[in-house]
Amino acid sequence: MFTQTCYLLSYVKYGDNGAVLHCFSADIGYQSFFARGIYSSKNKKKPYLLPLNLLNITVSKPNAQKGISTASKIELSAGIHDFNDVKINSVLFFTADFLHQILREEHQNDLAFNEIEEFRHEIALNNHNSHISLIFNFLKLSGIAPLFKDEKYLDPESGIFRDQISHPLFTAEISQLWKHFLTAPQTYSIKLQRAERNAFLDSLMVYYHLHFSGFYTPNSLAVLRQIYE
C-alpha cells in the first residue's frame, strides 16, 4: 500500500457513486485517483472534496504513468479545516482551477507543493490577496517571469520592459506593480486595493495566456469577482 499526501485540484463525478479526483502530490506530482462510492449515502468522505484540501490518499501502488489509480482510503490531512467564509471559498475555487491547468504535466516539484502550502497558510490568515501572490510566484517557478528593467511599460508578449506601451492592460501603474512583485522579498506581504487587485490579476491572466500553452482564464474568476463586489 502507498499513501500520498496531495492537494485536491478538481474532481468530477463518475458513474452513480464514484468520482475522479485530480490532485497534486508531494511525492509524484499531478495524479488522478478514482474514489469508488464516495457519492453513496453511506460514505462520509464527500465533504473532503473541497478545493485545495490536503488529503492522504492510499492506493495499492503508485502510478508513474499518469493514469488513474483507485483509492482504497481517503483521509483529510491533520490540521486541515474547512473555511466558512464565502469570499475565502471563492478564492480557493479559483486558485484550484488555475493550478489544475498549470500543474497537469508537472512531476514531483517540492517548490510548487510548498507554494500551495504557503498559500493555504496565508488564506487562513484572511489574506485576500494571497491568490495573486501564488499566481505570480508560479511564473518564477515556471521560469517565465519577466526580466526586470528600468523602462516604464511591461511588454507581456516579450516579457521585457519597454519605453512605449504595447498592451492596453499594461499601463504604467500596472507595470509598476509587476516591478514591485518582481523585487519583493515576500510577495504575500504586498497589499492591494480592489481595483489594483482586479487590474493586476487581469494582466496576469494575459501574461499566462501568452506564455503558457493552452492556458485560458478560469470561469471561476467571474464568480470570484461577483462575490467580492
Side-chain angles (χ1 to χ4, degrees), residues 18-34:
V20 176
L21 317 183
H22 302 296
C23 306
F24 189 74
S25 77
D27 297 297
I28 295 179
Y30 186 87
Q31 288 280 286
S32 295
F33 304 94
F34 178 61

Side-chain angles (χ1 to χ4, degrees), residues 57-168:
I57 300 180
T58 301
V59 297
S60 58
K61 61 180 180 179
N63 192 330
Q65 302 302 316
K66 296 296 181 183
I68 299 178
S69 302
T70 298
S72 58
K73 185 179 180 182
I74 299 175
E75 297 292 343
L76 194 63
S77 183
I80 293 296
H81 61 279
D82 296 341
F83 294 103
N84 296 319
D85 187 280
V86 174
K87 289 185 176 181
I88 288 180
N89 280 321
S90 68
V91 170
L92 288 169
F93 271 100
F94 168 71
T95 305
D97 282 349
F98 165 79
L99 290 171
H100 187 224
Q101 284 195 65
I102 67 167
L103 294 177
R104 291 178 71 93
E105 303 299 326
E106 194 70 36
H107 296 280
Q108 182 188 22
N109 187 325
D110 290 338
L111 292 176
F113 191 88
N114 292 340
E115 187 66 40
I116 302 173
E117 185 176 42
E118 178 69 12
F119 163 77
R120 282 276 318 196
H121 172 72
E122 290 290 333
I123 201 69
L125 297 175
N126 288 315
N127 181 352
H128 292 275
N129 293 318
S130 55
H131 58 298
I132 303 288
S133 297
L134 176 136
I135 291 169
F136 181 86
N137 291 345
F138 264 94
L139 287 176
K140 287 188 172 182
L141 292 178
S142 302
I144 56 176
L147 299 174
F148 182 92
K149 293 183 70 176
D150 292 332
E151 282 74 15
K152 192 173 184 180
Y153 300 98
L154 175 59
D155 179 346
E157 188 167 358
S158 65
I160 296 174
F161 288 88
R162 302 187 185 278
D163 290 323
Q164 301 295 324
I165 191 169
S166 59
H167 190 287

Side-chain angles (χ1 to χ4, degrees), residues 1 3 13 23 37 43 47 50 54 68 94 106-107 115 123 127 132 152 172 178 185 187 195 199 204 216-217 222 225:
M1 306 296 281
T3 299
K13 187 176 181 182
C23 306
N43 195 304
L50 293 174
L54 188 62
I68 299 178
F94 168 71
E106 194 70 36
H107 296 280
E115 187 66 40
I123 201 69
N127 181 352
I132 303 288
K152 192 173 184 180
W178 276 83
T187 61
L204 282 167
Y216 60 90
T217 301
R225 291 258 168 89

